[in-house]
Amino acid sequence: MLAADEASNPWFDASYVTGNWDTIVVHLRQHVTLTVGAVLLGVLLALPLALLARRVRPLAGPVLGLSSVVYTIPSLAMFAFLAPFTGPLSATTVLVGLTLYTLVILVRNFLAGLQGVPDDVREAARGMGYGSARLFWQVDLPLALPAFMAGLRIATVSTVALVTVGVITGNGGLGQLIVGGFNANFYRAEIVTGAVGCVLLALVADVLLAGLERLLTPWTRAVA
Amino acid sequence: MRTRARSLLPLAVAGVLLTACGESGSSGSSGAGASATASGDACAPVAGDQLVVLEDDQQLQNADNVVPAVNMATAQANPALLPALDAVSAAMTTAELIELNGAVDLQRQNAEDVAAAWVEENVDAAALQQGSGPIVVGGANFTESTILADVYADVLTAAGFDASVREVGNRELYLPALISGSEIQVFPEYLSTATEFLNRQVNGSTAEPVASGDVQATLTALRPLAEQVGLVFGRPSEAADQNAFAVTRAFADELGVSTLSELADACGDGSLVLGGPTECPDRPFCQPGLEETYGLQFAEFRELDAGGPLTKAALQQGEVSIGLVFSSDGALAQ
């Protein structure tokens, strides 16, 4: 049934990667930019929200609830809602959507970390004359850091996956390769390149963040 | 992420297995020619590798010819732009589009290389009016659109513009961007699809359809709509990517038919087996249209896909006599 001049269609094809390296790098760069941007913006939004939720207890429920509700909006619908405001082809659409999705993970983990700081430690610090800024930097942050970093790692890895959905706006990072392969008569090498690229990117990001966590919390290993 | 990417592979594998099932599995019910219809078997399926499209001589299908869409302000500021794109339309035919799609989809060549080679061979760069300035050509994320966007960009580069290609998503998103003109200024559109999209945008979602199988009539309907939203359309090319009905070359040769009308004359005994997407029996472009416009009669309808691998395999293996395909599919014989 194959036409005579039809090329074979293997799952793994190094010549696809070398022949399309420039395109792959462009998509990879976009994937990384969107992931890093969304997670950074997410941290900047989630930290004040978590601090607010800890200080004003009745707000904790609504803040967590709202970020969870945002997460339940299907990503395709989210990008469609945002597109008229952020520009139909702009990567901002994807960036804003992804940032909102990181909130559910980041706010929850940040709040859990902050709530895990023992009250007597904070009281002792306050008794020693720590102001609220110094209390945050020298007491809250170091003690909550493991929970912060756990949240950051989950948010980053899940964002790497979600970027691919941005393909409906033409800004899907490596997702462009996955969908493009499906639309090019099921070009397996292209699909696999996009999919494997996503997996590798998530792994690399996770390892980097794990290393950062080790660097930032030397005291957790000093005891052993 | 890791769970998602892992789940993709099994999904893709499942897709392949399903396709395989469609190809061989449906042979279980393939006694179509000899089935219930006792009226004859003159038009029973004939297996064969090569697929040919039967001409839609009564214009049942809307004319989806490739036509350049350009932002109006950009077109007015760059008088050399539209003539360069019209030079592509003048040279592009459906047969060549099939060849270009086949080179990428079947022979797995690079779309940019394929487009560059076509421009080299078919467009006289020296005869183009010269322009200048940056132009961004949009292309959707499927083979044909990518190739056409690359062709447009290459021709515009030859005409002195600083042209680049930008991958975009759905029409609902890229057409507003083309109208605003800030991110993309040129797009390879399809005549009837673009006409109906703008018709619904200008006249509301319940607007009476104005596109038809007549290229000139559709273009005449499109021009005022385009002007209203701020777009200019160039000259439609002969190349069209629209619904079409294909048979195997063996089948066409045996009956000596090349148009749907000739098929209707040759197949009066109602032994045709039709293959198409699920909605085919309800849609005017498919089974009802074939029956009313051409007077074709079918022994059976086989539910397959919309011009995808299932339909093409069913035709080639002699499961169906005639199937719905897209007229520029790379798998169609020249």
Side-chain angles (χ1 to χ4, degrees):
Chain A
M1 65 149 279
L2 298 179
D5 51 357
E6 191 165 328
S8 66
N9 191 8
W11 286 105
F12 296 94
D13 184 358
S15 70
Y16 170 79
V17 179
T18 50
N20 295 275
W21 184 247
D22 293 345
T23 318
I24 296 171
V25 168
V26 168
H27 292 315
L28 182 68
R29 191 175 299 144
Q30 183 181 49
H31 209 119
V32 172
T33 314
L34 282 172
T35 305
V36 171
V39 173
L40 281 184
L41 283 175
V43 169
L44 290 181
L45 282 175
L47 197 56
L49 284 174
L51 286 170
L52 183 72
R54 180 180 64 166
R55 176 164 301 208
V56 190
R57 266 182 193 280
L59 277 183
V63 165
L64 289 177
L66 197 66
S67 61
S68 302
V69 166
V70 168
Y71 201 70
T72 62
I73 302 174
S75 41
L76 287 173
M78 170 82 94
F79 295 150
F81 288 146
L82 290 171
F85 305 103
T86 51
L89 299 184
S90 117
T92 318
T93 311
V94 184
L95 184 67
V96 172
L98 293 174
T99 303
L100 292 175
Y101 284 133
T102 61
L103 290 184
V104 68
I105 300 166
L106 292 176
V107 173
R108 212 166 270 274
N109 275 270
F110 284 6
L111 187 60
L114 289 173
Q115 284 171 341
V117 179
D119 280 341
D120 47 356
V121 175
R122 304 187 79 225
E123 251 161 58
R126 226 177 267 126
M128 289 166 70
Y130 279 43
S132 55
R134 201 170 157 212
L135 183 68
F136 174 74
W137 284 109
Q138 298 193 343
V139 178
D140 285 343
L141 195 60
L143 288 176
L145 203 60
F148 279 20
M149 290 305 295
L152 208 56
R153 284 170 67 179
I154 304 171
T156 305
V157 167
S158 95
T159 303
V160 170
L162 271 173
V163 169
T164 55
V165 187
V167 77
I168 66 157
T169 70
N171 296 290
L174 293 168
Q176 298 291 131
L177 297 180
I178 299 175
V179 174
F182 272 102
N183 290 343
N185 192 22
F186 204 67
Y187 194 2
R188 293 172 183 161
E190 187 174 0
I191 297 170
V192 165
T193 304
V196 170
C198 282
V199 176
L200 290 180
L201 188 57
L203 278 175
V204 167
D206 202 46
V207 167
L208 285 179
L209 284 173
L212 181 68
E213 187 179 351
R214 265 176 84 94
L215 275 179
L216 289 177
T217 58
W219 61 85
T220 52
R221 294 182 311 278
V223 192
Chain B
M1 167 65 242
R2 274 167 283 172
T3 50
R4 161 175 271 264
R6 274 197 201 124
S7 68
L8 252 177
L9 280 180
L11 251 182
V13 171
V16 173
L17 290 178
L18 276 176
T19 312
C21 285
E23 287 161 7
S24 55
S26 32
S27 62
S29 56
S30 77
S35 72
T37 37
S39 47
D41 60 358
C43 297
V46 179
D49 272 352
Q50 290 212 308
L51 303 181
V52 290
V53 162
L54 293 180
E55 192 194 330
D56 180 24
D57 52 327
Q58 306 270 346
Q59 300 190 328
L60 170 63
Q61 308 298 342
N62 278 349
D64 260 325
N65 297 56
V66 175
V67 58
V70 181
N71 175 272
M72 188 181 276
T74 312
Q76 284 164 352
N78 300 282
L81 186 64
L82 266 176
L85 298 173
D86 285 348
V88 175
S89 293
M92 186 67 80
T93 64
T94 303
E96 286 181 70
L97 199 51
I98 289 172
E99 205 173 310
L100 292 172
N101 284 333
V104 175
D105 275 351
L106 302 177
Q107 295 161 31
R108 301 296 177 198
Q109 294 178 33
N110 185 300
E112 278 174 46
D113 300 344
V114 169
W118 185 88
V119 171
E120 177 85 12
E121 202 175 311
N122 293 281
V123 178
D124 180 9
L128 294 172
Q129 281 183 51
Q130 291 295 303
S132 64
I135 295 288
V136 184
V137 183
N141 197 358
F142 62 92
T143 303
E144 185 172 287
S145 193
T146 309
I147 297 173
L148 288 170
D150 285 332
V151 165
Y152 280 5
D154 288 346
V155 169
L156 290 177
T157 304
F161 292 98
D162 176 15
S164 57
V165 173
R166 169 142 186 198
E167 229 173 88
V168 302
N170 299 9
R171 182 173 281 106
E172 282 72 10
L173 293 176
Y174 74 67
L175 217 57
L178 187 65
I179 288 169
S180 92
S182 56
E183 292 169 297
I184 54 172
Q185 294 89 39
V186 175
F187 202 94
E189 260 298 355
Y190 297 100
L191 185 62
S192 289
T193 307
T195 303
E196 283 312 317
F197 191 92
L198 293 179
N199 185 27
R200 285 192 298 274
Q201 182 169 330
V202 171
N203 299 322
S205 56
T206 53
E208 196 72 14
V210 293
S212 66
D214 184 335
V215 174
Q216 277 313 318
T218 307
L219 190 63
T220 310
L222 170 62
R223 289 246 151 94
L225 292 169
E227 200 172 334
Q228 230 167 315
V229 297
L231 291 178
V232 183
F233 283 81
R235 161 185 174 172
S237 73
E238 190 270 314
D241 180 358
Q242 62 196 38
N243 293 319
F245 289 93
V247 298
T248 59
R249 173 154 283 164
F251 177 92
D253 289 349
E254 196 176 295
L255 290 170
V257 296
S258 62
T259 69
L260 285 169
S261 293
E262 289 171 13
L263 184 75
D265 291 341
C267 297
D269 65 353
S271 55
L272 277 170
V273 182
L274 174 67
T278 315
E279 67 271 21
C280 180
D282 306 317
R283 293 287 163 86
F285 72 83
C286 208
Q287 192 173 351
L290 290 174
E291 287 169 351
E292 282 155 32
T293 307
Y294 288 100
L296 283 161
Q297 293 170 345
F298 298 103
E300 194 186 341
F301 169 72
R302 199 70 65 76
E303 194 176 308
L304 299 162
D305 55 11
L310 294 182
T311 303
K312 285 180 268 179
L315 278 165
Q316 286 165 328
Q317 294 174 357
E319 312 266 339
V320 297
S321 347
I322 177 167
L324 179 75
V325 298
F326 294 108
S327 57
S328 61
D329 194 306
L332 294 172
Q334 307 293 306

